[in-house]
Amino acid sequence: MANDIYNRSLTGAQFRPLCGGNQRQDGMESCVEVAEVPGEPDLIAVRDGKHPEREPLRFTRSDWPPPACRSEREPAR
């Protein structure tokens, strides 16, 4: 499945904001939006909250969140 996750349709995906509290220089908060890929419970789509028209990235549930996004308290996998 991992090699064709970008072929899965996002029609009906319900994106929700996931904000980490990062403030940009212009004072705006950096946010991404995440959604489960419809009909694919193991896939997550992630897009830029300020540019939702751009193609979302996709991750398997086991790959989300990426190591750089995990908190220091979250155990390693």
Side-chain angles (χ1 to χ4, degrees), residues 44-62:
I44 303 292
V46 182
R47 68 182 182 190
D48 183 341
K50 293 185 179 37
H51 299 282
E53 71 282 358
R54 294 183 181 166
E55 180 69 22
L57 298 173
R58 292 177 176 92
F59 297 89
T60 61
R61 213 172 267 286
S62 62

Side-chain angles (χ1 to χ4, degrees), residues 1-4 7-8 14 23 28 31 35-36 38 44 46 48 52 62-64 68 70 74 76:
M1 175 179 25
N3 61 354
D4 64 352
N7 293 330
R8 306 291 189 219
Q14 296 182 3
Q23 295 292 319
M28 306 253 330
C31 293
E36 289 186 358
I44 303 292
V46 182
D48 183 341
S62 62
D63 290 333
W64 179 257
R70 295 183 190 138
E74 188 173 348

Side-chain angles (χ1 to χ4, degrees), residues 7-58:
N7 293 330
R8 306 291 189 219
S9 173
L10 294 179
T11 302
Q14 296 182 3
F15 285 88
R16 66 183 188 284
L18 179 67
C19 299
N22 295 328
Q23 295 292 319
R24 299 183 335 189
Q25 289 180 349
D26 61 7
M28 306 253 330
E29 187 172 33
S30 299
C31 293
V32 297
E33 296 177 346
V34 297
E36 289 186 358
V37 175
E40 301 288 340
D42 190 44
L43 295 181
I44 303 292
V46 182
R47 68 182 182 190
D48 183 341
K50 293 185 179 37
H51 299 282
E53 71 282 358
R54 294 183 181 166
E55 180 69 22
L57 298 173
R58 292 177 176 92

